[in-house]
Each structure stands twice: as structure tokens, then as C-alpha cells.
Amino acid sequence: MQIFVPLYKGTVHSLLRQPHRCFENPSAPESWVPSFISQTLDGLAFIHKHGMVHRNIKPENILYDKGAPNNTMAFYISNFSLTVPKEFVGGVRGGTSTLSFMAPETTRDGECDSASDVYSFGVTLLEVLGKYCVSESRLSVDEWRAKLKAFNAKYYASYRDTVVHGAQLPKMQPGHSRIQSLVDSFVVRRSLKYVLEQDPRLRATASDACRKLLIDYPLCVNGRHQRREAAPQPRREVALQLQREAAPQPRREVALQLQDRKSVV
């Protein structure tokens, strides 16, 4: 049973372009991305602060509504059917959450923690940004290299899937390896490495991730870009004005010379 039925318009998954393909490198994120980052990670930080782990963060489990102040979108984390207190996570072993969004420590060792939620959010954000689709873990290595090349990755030809011996879910390992290649090749912005860190001990908390990501995706990103483009550049304007004043005006100069000659005659 979902108690959010009267409150939301749809899920983040429904906001993604359909068919959802990530072979074209988007030139800019959607306008709602900063609000999505801020609100979702704030909600995740709240869950973690109260000692809980969600264990199933993905686009289908984040709802949105269009009634927020300043005509912005509001986002809500939903589906707490797999949420457990942090101290009980070890007994659950995290094996029932959505495979493609699981963190490396979950697919390899069966471990799950608040850091695992942050990684799942990072994969969700990659889908939102159009940089990665979870289905791409099933591509061949050559197909993935072709994508890296299309995204202008410098060392696309040397990509190899990482083999993790003894992993509980070996078929999920190419996905982690390919996500890491996006970070290493600077296909995604630098702040995403903090949420997609392979080692959960080095991964950012939800609060820290929010602060770092909002540097690259500020809440007023569109307004800032517009102001920057519209703002005058005084030094350049002065230089151009001096050039105009110093530049000769042939027609005017000739006309003045002719007037001077007539007056002399």
C-alpha cells in the first residue's frame, strides 16, 4: 500500500526520456536535477540519522510532485518495505534489493550499510543525467568501449571489465567496473566520484554528498548561467571602445579632406 497516492505526480523513472538510452552524451542536465539532488539526499540523510538503511534506492522509488515553492518540483523517497535498522542489516544481508542499483560491497560480500544507499543514489543520478543505464552492464566490452569513445573518453580502447573472484553476484561486477570507468575518464563531473566510490569506507555520507554535488549542480544553476551570459565585461568593453575610437573611418576622413580643400580654394 502506498500512502503517497494523493501527493505525487509520478516517479523519477517516469521523468526519464523514453526510450531510456544513454548512448548520447547530454549537453546539460535537466532543470530539476539540482532540486532532485538536494531533496533526495536530505531525505536519505534523515533516514540514516535515525539509524535506518533504505536498501532500495532507485528511480522507481523516488516520487515527485509539482507543487513546491517557486514552482519547483518536490521529491520524496518511497517504498520502505526493505528498510531496516542499521544494526539489523548484517542479518538481512541485503540480498533482496534491486540488483542493478546495489553497491559493490553488497554484490561482492553481501554487506549493506548507509553508504550502500549513497552508492545506489549515485547510480540513480547517473540514469537521471543520461550518463549510464543499468542495462549497460549487459553490454559486451566492445560495445562499452564504443560508448566511452562516443563520450570522448581518452583511454576507451584499454577498458577491461574488472574480475572480482569470490563475488556473491559475479554477473553484477561489470556494472561496477563500467561505472568506475565513467568516473576515471571524467565523463561525469568530479563530485560524483564521492558517491560512486567503490570502497564504502571512503564513500561520502548523504549530507557530504549533497554538499559536494550541489557545487557542480547548484540549485540556481540556470539563473547563474543566464546572469553570467548577460553580465557585461567592463575591460573587454573598454578595450573595444578604444579600438573603435582609434580605428580610422575612411569615408568620413575623405569627406572632411574634401571640405577642407573647398574652403581653401
Side-chain angles (χ1 to χ4, degrees):
M1 173 181 172
Q2 291 186 344
I3 62 173
F4 299 93
V5 172
L7 300 178
Y8 74 95
K9 300 291 184 183
T11 69
V12 168
H13 182 265
S14 65
L15 291 174
L16 303 180
R17 295 177 182 178
Q18 301 297 333
H20 188 51
R21 297 172 181 170
C22 298
F23 290 100
E24 297 179 0
N25 197 357
S27 58
E30 299 287 350
S31 60
W32 48 267
V33 168
S35 295
F36 164 75
I37 292 171
S38 175
Q39 296 176 32
T40 306
L41 284 176
D42 280 349
L44 205 52
F46 180 85
I47 293 171
H48 295 164
K49 180 181 178 180
H50 288 78
M52 307 294 287
V53 181
H54 187 278
R55 298 176 63 243
N56 201 14
I57 296 293
K58 59 180 181 177
E60 292 85 348
N61 287 342
I62 302 174
L63 314 177
Y64 79 92
D65 187 31
K66 292 185 176 180
N70 301 321
N71 201 29
T72 57
M73 297 174 68
F75 295 90
Y76 311 91
I77 296 174
S78 69
N79 192 351
F80 295 90
S81 60
L82 299 178
T83 304
V84 295
K86 186 176 180 179
E87 59 268 25
F88 297 148
V89 169
V92 178
R93 305 298 288 175
T96 56
S97 54
T98 306
L99 296 178
S100 299
F101 293 89
M102 282 183 175
E105 63 272 16
T106 309
T107 64
R108 294 169 184 171
D109 306 315
E111 298 179 357
C112 184
D113 200 348
S114 55
S116 309
D117 282 345
V118 174
Y119 186 91
S120 298
F121 172 82
V123 179
T124 299
L125 183 56
L126 287 179
E127 286 216 327
V128 166
L129 294 172
K131 301 292 186 179
Y132 178 77
C133 301
V134 292
S135 60
E136 291 178 313
S137 65
R138 297 190 291 272
L139 295 177
S140 69
V141 171
D142 287 339
E143 287 173 323
W144 182 252
R145 288 174 182 165
K147 169 171 176 165
L148 290 177
K149 181 180 180 181
F151 278 37
N152 299 316
K154 189 174 182 180
Y155 301 108
Y156 69 90
S158 62
Y159 173 80
R160 299 285 189 281
D161 282 342
T162 301
V163 177
V164 180
H165 298 287
Q168 292 189 6
L169 298 172
K171 291 184 178 180
M172 294 294 104
Q173 303 316 305
H176 302 314
S177 179
R178 294 169 188 193
I179 287 172
Q180 187 62 41
S181 71
L182 295 176
V183 175
D184 294 340
S185 302
F186 302 101
V187 170
V188 297
R189 298 187 185 181
R190 190 173 185 85
S191 56
L192 269 87
K193 78 171 189 176
Y194 298 104
V195 297
L196 295 170
E197 169 62 51
Q198 298 280 306
D199 188 341
R201 297 169 298 179
L202 303 177
R203 201 174 299 145
T205 64
S207 297
D208 288 341
C210 185
R211 286 192 291 269
K212 293 179 184 297
L213 286 167
L214 288 180
I215 294 174
D216 283 338
Y217 303 95
L219 286 168
C220 53
V221 61
N222 294 327
R224 285 187 179 181
H225 285 320
Q226 289 171 3
R227 286 197 293 273
R228 285 174 184 169
E229 293 171 357
Q233 301 177 5
R235 294 182 180 177
R236 185 181 179 190
E237 291 298 325
V238 170
L240 291 173
Q241 186 175 356
L242 290 174
Q243 289 178 7
R244 293 191 196 103
E245 293 176 355
Q249 301 177 3
R251 294 182 181 178
R252 184 179 178 187
E253 291 296 331
V254 171
L256 289 174
Q257 288 177 9
L258 291 174
Q259 288 179 5
D260 290 343
R261 289 177 184 177
K262 288 179 181 180
S263 62
V264 171
V265 174

